[in-house]
Amino acid sequence: MAQLKGACIIGQSGGPTSVINASAYGVIRTALDTPEITAVYGAAHGIKGVLNDQLYDMGQEDERELEFLLNTPSSELGSCRYKIADPEMDDTDYRRILEIFRKYDVRYFFYNGGNDSMDTCAKISRYMSKSGYDCRVIGVPKTIDNDLFGTDHCPGFPSAAKYIASSCAEVYKDARVYDIGAVTIMEIMGRNAGWLAGSAALAGVVGCAPDLIYLPEVDFDMDRFLADVEAVYRREGNCIVAVSEGIHYADGSFVSKAKISATDGFGHVQLGGLAAVLANVVKDRIGVKVRGIELSLLQRCGAHLASQTDIDESFQAGKAAVEAAVAGATDKMVGFSCTREGGQYHCQIQLFDLASVANYEKKVPREWINPEGNGVTQAFLDYALPLIQGENSRVVENGLPRFARLKKVLASQK
Amino acid sequence: MAQLKGACIIGQSGGPTSVINASAYGVIRTALDTPEITAVYGAAHGIKGVLNDQLYDMGQEDERELEFLLNTPSSELGSCRYKIADPEMDDTDYRRILEIFRKYDVRYFFYNGGNDSMDTCAKISRYMSKSGYDCRVIGVPKTIDNDLFGTDHCPGFPSAAKYIASSCAEVYKDARVYDIGAVTIMEIMGRNAGWLAGSAALAGVVGCAPDLIYLPEVDFDMDRFLADVEAVYRREGNCIVAVSEGIHYADGSFVSKAKISATDGFGHVQLGGLAAVLANVVKDRIGVKVRGIELSLLQRCGAHLASQTDIDESFQAGKAAVEAAVAGATDKMVGFSCTREGGQYHCQIQLFDLASVANYEKKVPREWINPEGNGVTQAFLDYALPLIQGENSRVVENGLPRFARLKKVLASQK
């Protein structure tokens, strides 16, 4: 493969995670150290930053501040939920992207996001190829939802899983404090895939597992749910339930109807309020003390509990993207191939064709969910437990997290 | 003061905190090491454990497991919200308590709780004194609400404040990720006192302060609130609001009306759902993207973020209670007297008369809230910042928090 010299762009897209910036740092740090890459630009708000010619010159940043990205949650370059058109239908955006790529001599494009972002990545890759513009395009995955196809798991999921399992363990202790028990319902993110809600079961490792877990992979039945909760409560005097926000009835309608009128830029239904909905039903029908807890944004931005395994792997994913691109790869997504034989976890980088991952959703296998559909199996735990290992070594300043403080100098202003 | 030999009871009451067990450990460890104390009993579910003759023999516990109490959230001995009668009206409970005290030769009673628990403590102390039963009664404070009179601050508050400020910093990063801004409303515990909501302002130390903070000390005005939010949003493109769950209108009615039909055992109105209420109003009236986040139980049980200062002081409070009692003190609450001159924080133990603290509520001074009533002043920050210092050294097992595992052997079964 011929050597390709030029600038690179790194963009971030979709919902943020605790470690998406660790991946961005992997790209930025490696790119800055790579002779073939002449300039490193961070796109402000993902692909929108390219379209709007808002590119930060990463070479202007202080090295130490860049390193803080390893422990800075959210998407430091800014994110977007902009759905790029199909180039066959409307190539306006693509022509603009090509114009910007030419303007800055961009030969490497790294896009750091989830399912929809891999689709964006694949489309740009195809368009550049069709246009005869020599540019290597690599997707760097992130999504707490863990629903990307191909890769063993997605950067971002392990840290969210660790946050969820830790919080579940703490809530377990809190919920058992009174002599009169309660039903506690924890609402966990996950629209179509139950990886995150299933992770609550990891708290069982320290004796604090939720009693019941409901994932969107199994159709929800309110009567069976109420019977499950009542049975546990009568037996144990307490009941902790973990639910995916996306649980739905057999007809596909969401159990949470609270916010189903709103949709995001990709036409996804915005969910939320499920814990409150279920808490009210339990209160009315079983008549016990009940509390609904929505883990909300904190499960995706709680970087103080980020898994060091996740941080390391996220950084490696970004680094590998640059190395692979410089070596000639394009139209790929960086992912992981992992083994867990004999309790020994080993993770290595693997490249996947963008076309094979974009727009597919990886769900929890039915056999990793118990037959009753109200919990996960040992296979699920064996899969997820290695991922949450390792306490991160974040810097604390005055008792609070020290995040990266970037200058964000626009390249267009030079 | 004559030497008093006999057993001791430690009980926990009220809502749990991240460090109430550190105080219990301070009592238990010190009592076990004190020759005058012949046996150390932990009351199951506070005063109810005394009434029901359910006392755990702490001498049976493994020393190492007891030490894990320093980092175990919630009330490990179990808590209660049992309101003890006024002994002049009905002395049934007190006669039973005296019977149990006599049965186990209990000469030291330590009660670990908040406002209502100090009241329980004071009543028991008075009754024992009136009955001529020689027994020393000391209250060990805990409450995330920080509303206990006399003491500089309450064990439990610093850790909750640290959790809230850290979470606020992380949410701040997350909320700014898109190019289209949002209003984020964080609901924080605090019925009548705004110490916890005010603590969100500590995130300003790392540049992530909420834009607006509303405490229950200032009457809430919905129109002014909406004007505040809109002004910040128009100016900044984003707005983060921290609100105490207990904010109320000038007529005393709570802004959150969602759950005001339920009350706890002390007749306190149970609050919650405020974030959702305000989010709906903002959405309707300002028409921007808005998200309500209720920090819920995690702010009081998130021991993984407990302030080491708080853990140390909580332990010391328990230790000092035993030492003071053995030295002859009774009818007191252990508290803190602190100085912060020149940025140097110094904390020392001080004993307060139970009668002077029970049933009073310490609120945030009006002069520590800005004139507009939508933020706190530097004086508040200077007060709170030293308290959240120090990262705790909790033990992690398989990536998850390792909590104490007590045997809880009932003394009555011996």
Side-chain angles (χ1 to χ4, degrees):
Chain A
M1 184 67 68
Q3 203 203 50
L4 182 62
K5 221 174 159 96
C8 84
I9 287 177
I10 162 78
Q12 298 179 307
S13 182
T17 76
S18 289
V19 298
I20 183 169
N21 290 324
S23 283
Y25 180 60
V27 169
I28 295 165
R29 182 70 268 152
T30 311
L32 286 170
D33 295 340
T34 299
E36 289 88 343
I37 297 181
T38 52
V40 182
Y41 301 117
H45 300 292
I47 199 63
K48 277 188 151 184
V50 180
L51 295 169
N52 298 332
D53 195 0
Q54 291 197 302
L55 303 176
Y56 305 126
D57 182 357
M58 291 292 122
Q60 306 282 317
E61 302 294 342
D62 178 82
E63 292 203 359
R64 180 89 182 105
E65 288 300 332
L66 283 175
E67 200 180 339
F68 277 115
L69 286 173
L70 287 170
N71 297 97
T72 300
S74 184
S75 308
E76 188 60 22
L77 300 171
S79 184
C80 66
R81 284 197 182 276
Y82 181 73
K83 189 159 180 68
I84 197 163
D86 213 309
E88 283 76 41
M89 308 294 281
D90 177 2
D91 69 351
T92 317
D93 284 347
Y94 298 89
R95 284 185 285 118
R96 173 64 175 162
I97 293 167
L98 182 52
E99 182 187 344
I100 295 291
F101 278 19
R102 286 209 164 104
K103 176 176 174 184
Y104 293 97
D105 190 29
V106 172
R107 299 292 171 175
Y108 296 96
F109 181 68
F110 304 104
Y111 212 41
N112 196 188
N115 242 312
D116 296 309
S117 310
M118 292 308 126
D119 179 56
T120 301
C121 227
K123 285 172 176 164
I124 292 173
S125 174
R126 276 203 306 278
Y127 183 84
M128 293 300 156
S129 170
K130 220 186 82 185
S131 308
Y133 181 80
D134 201 359
C135 178
R136 297 178 190 157
V137 177
I138 307 270
V140 184
K142 75 82 217 169
T143 166
I144 61 166
D145 290 333
N146 202 38
D147 59 355
L148 273 169
F149 206 76
T151 184
D152 177 89
H153 61 278
C154 300
F157 165 67
S159 293
K162 188 180 178 81
Y163 182 93
I164 289 162
S166 290
S167 297
C168 183
E170 292 174 334
V171 166
Y172 179 100
K173 296 301 281 184
D174 192 286
R176 271 163 174 70
V177 78
Y178 293 114
D179 46 345
I180 298 160
V183 174
T184 306
I185 297 167
M186 297 180 73
E187 176 183 339
I188 294 165
M189 284 181 170
R191 190 183 283 119
N192 300 319
W195 297 104
L196 290 173
S199 300
L202 294 170
V205 170
V206 288
C208 302
D211 300 289
L212 299 165
I213 305 177
Y214 298 91
L215 314 184
E217 282 81 357
V218 177
D219 291 338
F220 188 79
D221 181 311
M222 187 64 87
D223 290 329
R224 208 160 54 215
F225 162 76
L226 288 166
D228 287 351
V229 169
E230 186 152 21
V232 171
Y233 184 82
R234 298 298 166 215
R235 190 175 69 234
E236 311 283 341
N238 258 298
C239 182
I240 296 189
V241 186
V243 285
S244 278
E245 59 176 345
I247 53 167
H248 51 77
Y249 297 108
D251 68 1
S253 64
F254 289 111
V255 178
S256 156
K257 299 190 180 93
K259 296 180 189 172
I260 59 169
S261 55
T263 53
D264 70 12
F266 289 99
H268 300 143
V269 171
Q270 290 286 285
L271 301 176
L274 173 65
V277 168
L278 289 178
N280 280 328
V281 176
V282 168
K283 199 174 174 181
D284 286 353
R285 300 271 293 273
I286 311 186
V288 294
K289 188 179 155 190
V290 58
R291 189 190 284 264
I293 300 178
E294 188 187 341
L295 288 188
S296 192
L297 290 187
L298 290 163
Q299 64 199 294
R300 78 177 189 196
C301 67
H304 66 274
L305 263 182
S307 144
Q308 188 62 44
T309 298
D310 195 19
I311 294 173
D312 291 343
E313 292 178 352
S314 299
F315 176 84
Q316 289 300 331
K319 183 168 184 278
V322 175
E323 291 170 348
V326 170
T330 186
D331 207 34
K332 302 283 184 190
M333 181 189 84
V334 174
F336 305 130
S337 165
C338 303
T339 55
R340 293 168 175 79
E341 266 85 64
Q344 283 296 309
Y345 172 72
H346 183 70
C347 175
Q348 64 179 38
I349 298 288
Q350 188 183 340
L351 296 183
F352 297 87
D353 289 339
L354 275 173
S356 75
V357 294
N359 297 317
Y360 295 96
E361 276 184 319
K362 187 178 71 176
K363 301 188 177 189
V364 178
R366 183 60 185 88
E367 63 271 23
W368 285 10
I369 304 171
N370 68 15
E372 301 79 17
N374 60 18
V376 296
T377 67
Q378 187 61 39
F380 184 102
L381 299 176
D382 293 342
Y383 164 80
L385 191 59
L387 309 179
I388 67 164
Q389 301 307 307
E391 306 312 297
N392 69 73
S393 53
R394 71 201 179 101
V395 173
V396 171
E397 186 177 270
N398 269 313
L400 291 165
R402 168 65 160 88
F403 301 140
R405 294 163 193 161
L406 302 189
K407 286 181 275 187
K408 297 191 179 173
V409 180
L410 283 175
S412 56
Q413 289 172 342
K414 280 200 298 190
Chain B
M1 184 69 66
Q3 204 205 47
L4 183 62
K5 224 175 158 98
C8 84
I9 288 177
I10 162 78
Q12 297 179 307
S13 181
T17 76
S18 289
V19 298
I20 183 169
N21 290 324
S23 283
Y25 179 60
V27 169
I28 294 165
R29 183 68 268 152
T30 310
L32 286 170
D33 295 340
T34 299
E36 288 89 340
I37 296 180
T38 52
V40 181
Y41 300 117
H45 300 291
I47 198 64
K48 277 189 150 181
V50 180
L51 295 168
N52 299 333
D53 195 359
Q54 291 197 301
L55 303 177
Y56 305 125
D57 182 357
M58 291 292 123
Q60 306 282 318
E61 301 293 341
D62 179 82
E63 292 203 0
R64 178 89 180 106
E65 288 299 333
L66 283 175
E67 200 180 340
F68 277 115
L69 286 173
L70 287 170
N71 297 97
T72 301
S74 185
S75 307
E76 188 61 22
L77 300 171
S79 184
C80 66
R81 284 197 181 276
Y82 181 74
K83 191 161 178 65
I84 197 163
D86 212 309
E88 282 77 42
M89 310 292 283
D90 176 2
D91 69 352
T92 316
D93 284 345
Y94 298 90
R95 283 185 285 117
R96 173 65 174 160
I97 293 168
L98 183 53
E99 182 187 345
I100 295 292
F101 277 20
R102 286 209 164 105
K103 175 175 175 185
Y104 294 97
D105 190 28
V106 172
R107 297 293 170 176
Y108 296 95
F109 181 68
F110 304 105
Y111 212 43
N112 195 187
N115 241 312
D116 296 311
S117 310
M118 292 308 126
D119 179 55
T120 301
C121 227
K123 284 172 175 163
I124 291 173
S125 173
R126 274 203 308 279
Y127 183 84
M128 294 299 157
S129 170
K130 220 188 81 187
S131 307
Y133 181 80
D134 201 358
C135 178
R136 296 179 189 156
V137 177
I138 307 270
V140 183
K142 75 81 217 170
T143 166
I144 61 166
D145 289 333
N146 203 38
D147 59 354
L148 273 169
F149 206 76
T151 183
D152 177 89
H153 60 278
C154 300
F157 165 66
S159 293
K162 188 179 178 85
Y163 182 92
I164 289 161
S166 290
S167 297
C168 183
E170 292 173 335
V171 166
Y172 179 100
K173 297 301 281 184
D174 192 286
R176 271 165 175 70
V177 78
Y178 293 114
D179 47 344
I180 297 160
V183 173
T184 306
I185 297 167
M186 297 180 71
E187 177 183 340
I188 295 164
M189 284 180 170
R191 190 182 283 120
N192 300 318
W195 297 104
L196 290 173
S199 301
L202 294 169
V205 170
V206 287
C208 302
D211 300 290
L212 300 165
I213 305 177
Y214 298 90
L215 313 184
E217 282 81 358
V218 177
D219 291 338
F220 188 78
D221 180 308
M222 187 63 87
D223 290 329
R224 209 160 55 216
F225 162 76
L226 288 167
D228 286 351
V229 169
E230 186 151 22
V232 171
Y233 184 82
R234 298 300 167 212
R235 191 175 68 236
E236 311 283 342
N238 257 298
C239 182
I240 297 190
V241 186
V243 285
S244 279
E245 60 177 343
I247 53 167
H248 51 76
Y249 297 109
D251 68 1
S253 64
F254 289 111
V255 178
S256 157
K257 300 192 177 89
K259 296 181 189 171
I260 60 169
S261 56
T263 53
D264 70 14
F266 290 98
H268 301 145
V269 170
Q270 290 286 286
L271 300 176
L274 173 65
V277 168
L278 289 179
N280 280 327
V281 175
V282 168
K283 198 174 176 185
D284 287 352
R285 301 273 293 272
I286 311 186
V288 295
K289 189 178 155 191
V290 59
R291 190 189 282 266
I293 300 178
E294 188 186 343
L295 288 188
S296 193
L297 290 188
L298 290 163
Q299 65 200 292
R300 78 178 188 196
C301 67
H304 67 275
L305 263 183
S307 145
Q308 188 62 43
T309 298
D310 196 17
I311 294 173
D312 291 342
E313 290 178 354
S314 299
F315 176 85
Q316 289 301 328
K319 182 169 185 275
V322 174
E323 291 171 348
V326 169
T330 185
D331 206 33
K332 303 283 184 189
M333 180 189 85
V334 173
F336 304 129
S337 166
C338 304
T339 55
R340 294 168 175 79
E341 266 86 63
Q344 283 296 310
Y345 172 72
H346 184 70
C347 175
Q348 64 178 37
I349 298 287
Q350 188 183 340
L351 296 182
F352 296 87
D353 290 339
L354 275 173
S356 75
V357 294
N359 297 316
Y360 295 97
E361 276 183 320
K362 187 177 72 176
K363 302 190 177 188
V364 178
R366 183 59 184 88
E367 62 271 23
W368 285 11
I369 304 171
N370 68 14
E372 301 78 18
N374 61 18
V376 295
T377 66
Q378 187 62 40
F380 183 102
L381 299 176
D382 292 342
Y383 164 80
L385 190 59
L387 308 180
I388 67 164
Q389 302 306 307
E391 306 313 297
N392 69 73
S393 51
R394 70 202 181 101
V395 174
V396 171
E397 186 177 88
N398 270 313
L400 291 166
R402 168 64 160 89
F403 300 140
R405 294 163 194 163
L406 302 189
K407 287 181 274 187
K408 297 191 178 173
V409 180
L410 283 175
S412 57
Q413 289 171 344
K414 280 202 296 191

